[in-house]
Amino acid sequence: MTSGAVGLPESFYRRVGDGRYESTSATAGPWSPDAQHAGPPSALLGRALERHEAREGFRVARVTLEIPHPVPVGELRVDVRTVRGGRRTELVEGEVSAGGRTVMLARAWRVAESPKDTPALRPEPTPPPLPGPQPPHGITGAHLDGYVSAMEWRFVSGGFDTPGPGVAWARQRVPLVAGEPDTPLTRALTLADSNWAVAFELDHARRLVINTDVTLALHRDPVGEWLCLSAATSASPSGSGLAVGRLDDAEGDCGRVVQTLLVAER
């Protein structure tokens, strides 16, 4: 990871204490320098969910994040609790708040790890190789001096300004929290909200297109810094949009990303 990359803050967040975090400019999303891309706060919640009353041999298999309000670039508070504990499964939930207002919610299933002799079922084709370095990828009319620049993008097909399904490898240029190593779950969540952007197929310049949620389901923990999203979008008249992506690492398929898309006239 190229922590401390020129022009970037040292991390997405800095710990303040008592569950509070200072957001850096690296969290800013493409639509406003004052509102965060949902990837970093998703990962911040994921970090808290996997740490909360952690048990050896358990892992987060699925997490769903709801985004009722834009997450501001400012001080955030993270709170988590156990909804249901069990011998083999646990349901945990958390929220991110800003100024006393809840801006993101999450529920996650933590499950006991499967036995070592569990068969590898329905293996997907291996992902395309990681391309070599590419020039920075932009989005027309977007704020680029935040999350977009804090991630390194290497597209195999498509692109942020290229309509159609897309395939992109990506990694963080900075860690999630200053002075802490990232985890497989936080790396995956930092990227997951970019799923529909990798698969820009709806005209987000002419219409309002925005995701209300993110679900990440992992049948195994991703390995390494580089992750690959292969994403496509479905939509229907008098309906909504649905962006579905496959998440791979260098060893192959890890899981899926699903997002509901609001499609409306501006």
Side-chain angles (χ1 to χ4, degrees), residues 36 75 81 114 206 221 242 263 266:
Q36 296 191 33
E75 185 174 292
R81 72 183 186 97
S114 57
R206 188 166 66 88
D221 293 342
L242 181 67
V263 184
R266 287 193 178 275

Side-chain angles (χ1 to χ4, degrees), residues 75-250:
E75 185 174 292
L76 304 178
R77 179 179 176 85
V78 179
D79 293 286
V80 296
R81 72 183 186 97
T82 300
V83 178
R84 175 196 178 278
R87 189 161 65 93
R88 295 188 177 94
T89 63
E90 300 172 333
L91 181 62
V92 291
E93 68 179 9
E95 67 175 49
V96 173
S97 57
R101 183 190 205 189
T102 298
V103 292
M104 183 174 279
L105 300 160
R107 276 198 166 190
W109 279 104
R110 297 192 309 203
V111 303
E113 295 175 351
S114 57
K116 299 301 182 184
D117 62 352
T118 302
L121 298 176
R122 295 178 180 83
E124 296 282 352
T126 56
L130 173 69
Q134 298 176 353
H137 290 274
I139 306 172
T140 300
H143 173 72
L144 302 178
D145 294 331
Y147 174 86
V148 176
S149 296
M151 302 288 290
E152 182 177 358
W153 305 94
R154 297 188 187 180
F155 276 85
V156 177
S157 62
F160 293 135
D161 277 340
T162 303
V167 178
W169 287 88
R171 68 171 175 176
Q172 297 166 225
R173 295 183 186 273
V174 298
L176 180 68
V177 177
E180 288 187 8
D182 296 318
T183 69
L185 178 66
T186 64
R187 289 192 190 101
L189 284 170
T190 299
L191 178 61
D193 187 62
S194 298
N195 178 63
W196 83 272
V198 170
F200 270 152
E201 297 187 71
L202 294 166
D203 187 348
H204 58 86
R206 188 166 66 88
R207 292 189 174 94
L208 174 65
V209 182
I210 189 168
N211 64 295
T212 58
D213 52 70
V214 185
T215 293
L216 173 69
L218 296 170
H219 63 84
R220 68 171 177 86
D221 293 342
V223 176
E225 294 180 352
W226 284 100
L227 298 175
C228 181
L229 273 175
S230 303
T233 300
S234 300
S236 300
S238 303
S240 55
L242 181 67
V244 179
R246 190 182 98 190
L247 186 72
D248 288 277
D249 58 19

Side-chain angles (χ1 to χ4, degrees), residues 11 13-17 20-22 47 51 177-180:
S11 60
Y13 299 102
R14 303 183 186 99
R15 288 190 307 276
V16 176
R20 294 175 295 125
Y21 299 85
E22 176 191 355
R47 169 185 175 275
R51 289 184 173 205
V177 177
E180 288 187 8

